[in-house]
Amino acid sequence: EAQVTQNPRYLITVTGKKLTVTCSQNMNHEYMSWYRQDPGLGLRQIYYSMNVEVTDKGDVPEGYKVSRKEKRNFPLILESPSPNQTSLYFCASSRRIAGAHNEQFFGPGTRLTVL
Amino acid sequence: GEDVEQSLFLSVREGDSSVINCTYTDSSSTYLYWYKQEPGAGLQLLTYIFSNMDMKQDQRLTVLLNKKDKHLSLRIADTQTGDSAIYFCADPGRGGYNKLIFGAGTRLAVHP
């Protein structure tokens, strides 16, 4: 089954304790992104990757890091989490198809609470 | 900058039609999207429309695009309780394949 998986689904942590949220896709997609969803704000892109070892900042990258060492995986790293990073996080992947629409496939989400 | 706006709430009676509206700012988008988010789940693509179309119909869903006014709408005919969800309008903007710019989402509540 084609899917994007994220782990963990729920996480409660404390300020300053480093954490990693994993994301994996089995569709051989080139593009992967991380978004955060906050009430009244919709989804905002944190980081994206166009392929292995190619990453760039999205709209709200402060306080986050990513890496893309393998095509299927795109972990999100919070080196020193703060309460304003409490949010619902989504990983997404997509394939580049020239001249066609670009459907993004989303993971189930990770709800993070930073105390 | 690029922006997508939509109203936050819509309440309809079961069996009625629902219309969710969206406005966007970037006129360069080739496609515009509607995503659905059910409670506790990720987003799923509901439908999309190519920018040179005015209307697209897919079973109970009708998408209308007014490029002049940069207005997009999603009509759900015969709305059912299973349609209760958050609906997001999304625009690739200048991001192309890299990102989608989402509206805040419209929470649709369907009541008997």
Side-chain angles (χ1 to χ4, degrees):
Chain A
E1 180 191 355
Q3 60 182 347
V4 178
T5 57
Q6 296 179 227
N7 282 292
R9 294 289 313 279
Y10 303 90
L11 180 59
I12 300 174
T13 189
V14 295
T15 298
K17 186 176 181 182
K18 180 179 178 180
L19 67 92
T20 299
V21 183
T22 64
C23 172
S24 184
Q25 50 94 4
N26 63 0
M27 295 168 280
N28 201 35
H29 285 169
E30 296 89 356
Y31 293 88
M32 297 186 76
S33 288
W34 276 102
Y35 293 87
R36 60 178 287 173
Q37 181 182 10
D38 301 292
L41 295 177
L43 279 77
R44 294 176 293 168
Q45 191 185 50
I46 302 170
Y47 267 94
Y48 65 91
S49 170
M50 291 184 282
N51 216 321
V52 175
E53 303 290 4
V54 181
T55 63
D56 207 348
K57 297 177 181 177
D59 296 320
V60 288
E62 293 77 21
Y64 304 95
K65 286 174 58 177
V66 293
S67 68
R68 187 94 180 271
K69 292 183 169 51
E70 304 166 281
K71 197 172 186 179
R72 63 183 292 127
N73 296 323
F74 190 44
L76 178 70
I77 303 154
L78 285 72
E79 295 271 4
S80 182
S82 62
N84 65 9
Q85 293 178 298
T86 292
S87 189
L88 180 58
Y89 291 85
F90 288 101
C91 182
S93 73
S94 60
R95 168 172 292 145
R96 178 175 180 164
I97 306 173
H101 87 97
N102 170 32
E103 178 178 359
Q104 294 214 7
F105 292 82
F106 285 82
T110 295
R111 186 166 291 282
L112 172 65
T113 302
V114 183
L115 303 175
Chain B
E2 302 162 320
D3 196 16
V4 176
E5 293 191 356
Q6 51 183 130
S7 53
L8 295 182
F9 299 102
L10 177 65
S11 178
V12 300
R13 186 178 302 174
E14 191 174 12
D16 287 351
S17 292
S18 309
V19 179
I20 302 171
N21 295 301
C22 168
T23 57
Y24 61 96
T25 56
D26 194 321
S27 57
S28 65
S29 303
T30 307
Y31 292 91
L32 291 156
Y33 300 88
W34 285 102
Y35 278 80
K36 178 182 180 181
Q37 183 182 31
E38 297 186 352
L43 279 72
Q44 286 190 303
L45 181 66
L46 191 62
T47 187
Y48 65 93
I49 187 167
F50 189 42
S51 60
N52 69 352
M53 297 169 66
D54 298 324
M55 184 180 83
K56 178 181 179 180
Q57 186 144 7
D58 184 1
Q59 300 182 333
R60 292 191 297 122
L61 305 177
T62 303
V63 179
L64 296 177
L65 175 61
N66 181 330
K67 286 193 72 177
K68 175 176 171 290
D69 295 337
K70 297 181 184 175
H71 183 266
L72 184 72
S73 69
L74 173 69
R75 178 177 181 268
I76 306 173
D78 187 24
T79 312
Q80 303 297 308
T81 55
D83 294 323
S84 294
I86 302 176
Y87 292 81
F88 291 93
C89 174
D91 172 10
R94 292 184 180 84
Y97 302 102
N98 297 331
K99 72 187 283 186
L100 289 171
I101 302 163
F102 287 88
T106 300
R107 184 179 295 274
L108 174 65
V110 183
H111 56 88

